[in-house]
Amino acid sequence: MLCLPVPGSAAPAAEPLRVGDAVLEPVETARLGGFPGPDASEALAAFRRTCAASPAAPQPTGVAGSAEALAAACARAAAVPETEAGRFFTETFDAYRVVRPAAAGTPERRSGFLTGYFEPELDGSATPGPGYTAAVLARPDDLVGLEPGETRPGLDPALRAARRVGDAFEAYPDRAAIENGALGARARPLLYLRDAVDLFVLQVQGSGRVRLTDGRSVRVLYDGRNGRPYTSIGKLIVGEGHLPLEGLTLARWTGWLRANPGHARRLMRANASYIFFRLAEIADPALGPPGAAGVPLSPGRNVAVDATLWRYGLPFWLEGRIAGDAAPGRLVVAADTGSAIVGPARGDLYLGTGTEAGMRAGNLRDAVGFVVLLPRGAGPAAP
């Protein structure tokens, strides 16, 4: 949450802006190596899409980024020619480097952590049969999602969803229980994938495209989760000594799971989180699924951030060579979030659809600098 002086009062000169445990250090865009990049028009297009977004869930009050100033920036962006994209970002926003100061023996950190994610492209069937055995389930009608900070009497506050039982609530079944039939008639298959490993990949990524046996392609979108905590299967595989962390790509760990079905079932069930889906048409094959901001994701230009700290639609300059680029940085726009994306200098870059995007996403685990661009005008924080 951004800390600001009381409206109408003068801020002490030495008091910096803060977001979470980070300080926002003003920096001139001219001092950001490579800013805004040779293809700022792509970032402008992504920014314009977020301007028209309707978030799937409201963000908490106090997130960094003034809603009014961001709306004003959106209005200006509508009339900006593509050739003026770089000038738009330079003149419309103030840049702040996200710095976590030294504290309690921890040294100052000016780099954050960036990972990548993608939209898998999988084979499926509208009906079960040989080779298509893993059901993709629709959201059950008794699932109640909980917003951050929201609780229900008798529930563990750490749970982010509940099961409605009459007028009461109880913890929703975990992955193992759901696979064992705990949903009963509420388990409504939308389609079927090849196996449990493909289903697990779909649930980890949160959405995907599915090529059906009848020749159609459909998009499968996130539509809720059981609220149980997420556990990384990669960490479990490495922790038990089955595979080394170095070179742990998607293809490698999924191949290992298929070659070791006994271990696979146990390790996948150790992730108690379970995702439910809905079907959607593919309106523009060049764009990804809608992120949490409610807008289709642009490969390489949209990033998932901690939505309890940052407002969707804020541009960020990522300092570093991103996903193999020769450029010293990349201009991206916040349009999504994720349960593992926590903290002011943590991001997850959307890299596209299919196998190649999956390989690049799996290889992206880099220390990069985060510079947030806050719109000028109404101040840096929402009311």
Side-chain angles (χ1 to χ4, degrees):
M1 184 174 294
L2 191 61
C3 299
L4 291 173
V6 176
S9 68
E15 182 64 23
L17 299 175
R18 297 178 181 274
V19 173
D21 65 350
V23 170
L24 300 190
E25 181 181 89
V27 58
E28 295 180 9
T29 54
R31 298 180 67 86
L32 298 175
F35 184 90
D39 45 12
S41 60
E42 295 181 9
L44 177 61
F47 179 74
R48 284 171 170 161
R49 278 191 287 273
T50 62
C51 288
S54 178
Q59 292 187 258
T61 59
V63 294
S66 163
E68 292 82 1
L70 194 58
C74 284
R76 181 178 179 184
V80 174
E82 289 188 2
T83 55
E84 295 294 319
R87 183 177 176 183
F88 164 76
F89 285 107
T90 299
E91 296 183 350
T92 309
F93 298 87
D94 289 319
Y96 295 85
R97 183 171 281 114
V98 180
V99 178
R100 286 158 296 170
T106 301
E108 179 187 69
R109 290 171 290 166
R110 289 177 171 257
S111 291
F113 186 53
L114 183 70
T115 52
Y117 70 115
F118 75 110
E119 180 185 41
E121 194 168 29
L122 305 167
D123 292 323
S125 172
T127 57
Y132 297 100
T133 58
V136 176
L137 298 184
R139 181 188 179 111
D141 59 10
D142 63 345
L143 176 64
V144 178
L146 303 178
E147 298 300 324
E150 184 181 5
T151 61
R152 288 288 186 271
L155 285 182
D156 183 338
L159 295 177
R160 300 270 42 88
R163 174 182 247 176
R164 188 188 299 276
V165 183
D167 294 330
F169 297 89
E170 63 182 31
Y172 216 80
D174 63 12
R175 174 179 296 274
I178 291 172
E179 291 179 352
N180 287 341
L183 299 188
R186 287 189 166 91
R188 296 182 294 112
L190 297 170
L191 50 81
Y192 295 83
L193 300 179
R194 292 183 304 163
D195 57 23
V197 176
D198 272 359
L199 177 60
F200 194 85
V201 170
L202 178 67
Q203 292 189 322
V204 168
Q205 297 301 322
S207 64
R209 296 187 198 186
V210 179
R211 298 179 296 256
L212 298 174
T213 53
D214 60 11
R216 293 180 297 137
S217 287
V218 296
R219 178 163 271 148
V220 184
L221 299 179
Y222 173 94
D223 199 26
R225 56 191 289 257
N226 65 344
R228 301 279 186 162
Y230 170 80
T231 300
S232 167
I233 194 168
K235 288 184 178 180
L236 295 177
I237 291 172
V238 171
E240 292 189 2
H242 303 298
L243 292 173
L245 178 61
E246 184 70 24
L248 188 66
T249 62
L250 173 71
R252 190 171 187 189
W253 66 256
T254 54
W256 183 87
L257 289 175
R258 289 193 172 98
N260 297 272
H263 284 305
R265 177 180 172 86
R266 174 180 59 83
L267 291 174
M268 287 191 290
R269 286 190 165 196
N271 175 25
S273 176
Y274 196 94
I275 308 298
F276 301 100
F277 296 93
R278 61 184 175 88
L279 299 181
E281 297 297 322
I282 302 173
D284 185 345
L287 295 176
V295 63
L297 298 171
S298 178
R301 291 296 168 181
N302 280 133
V303 65
V305 297
D306 187 335
T308 68
L309 299 176
W310 302 112
R311 186 175 300 280
Y312 296 136
L314 287 177
F316 284 80
W317 176 250
L318 302 178
E319 296 183 295
R321 301 189 185 280
I322 311 300
D325 273 3
R330 184 181 298 195
L331 190 56
V332 299
V333 180
D336 204 1
T337 192
S339 58
I341 311 305
V342 179
R346 176 72 173 92
D348 204 19
L349 185 65
Y350 175 71
L351 289 171
T353 300
T355 302
E356 183 179 343
M359 292 175 62
R360 288 187 287 120
N363 290 329
L364 180 53
R365 299 178 60 83
D366 294 343
V368 303
F370 281 71
V371 178
V372 63
L373 303 185
L374 296 177
R376 298 171 185 170

